[in-house]
Amino acid sequence: MTSKLKIAVLGATGYSGLELTRLLLRHPLVDKPVLLRRAENRNLQFPQKKGDENGNGEINLADIFPTLSGNGKYPLEPLSWPSLKQKRVDLLFLASPHEVSRALGPEAVAQ
């Protein structure tokens, strides 16, 4: 059996990122994607479930987009190159504004 591809999506909270995430979640040859947000977005107020059992203020994509609720957790993590290496991500999608993607593209290739 072929091993599944490990994918990360930066910008999963945007329209393109959400649609890409929904497609990847149904793809038979892809593991559940790692969902990323830009580190500078940490001050944005995303809805969080009350009584978060971890108490870590984890942001869940299903809390932002209820259409994903009931299918498990979809934690949003800040972009971190060491974390992506640790998770052995094979492919990174940049579903972010073009200025951000253009800035991060060379940095991602250098990793």
Side-chain angles (χ1 to χ4, degrees):
M1 180 167 166
T2 306
S3 64
K4 291 187 174 188
L5 194 61
K6 189 70 173 175
I7 295 178
V9 178
L10 175 65
T13 59
Y15 178 75
S16 299
L18 174 64
E19 290 302 315
L20 175 61
T21 299
R22 289 172 53 162
L23 290 170
L24 293 172
L25 287 170
R26 293 189 301 253
H27 198 288
L29 299 177
V30 173
D31 276 336
K32 186 175 179 180
V34 176
L35 304 177
L36 304 169
R37 60 181 171 83
R38 289 182 283 161
E40 61 265 18
N41 283 352
R42 69 182 130 212
N43 295 329
L44 293 178
Q45 296 298 318
F46 289 114
Q48 296 177 11
K49 286 192 175 185
K50 293 180 182 175
D52 179 12
E53 65 275 1
N54 298 328
N56 62 4
E58 180 181 90
I59 301 169
N60 184 0
L61 191 63
D63 293 338
I64 300 168
F65 298 106
T67 58
L68 292 176
S69 63
N71 295 318
K73 288 190 170 190
Y74 304 97
L76 284 168
E77 305 172 17
L79 175 62
S80 164
W81 300 121
S83 176
L84 291 178
K85 284 182 181 179
Q86 180 185 19
K87 294 176 190 232
R88 298 177 171 248
V89 169
D90 300 310
L91 179 63
L92 171 64
F93 281 101
L94 299 175
S96 53
H98 69 276
E99 300 92 356
V100 175
S101 296
R102 184 169 47 186
L104 288 175
E107 195 175 333
V109 170
Q111 300 299 318

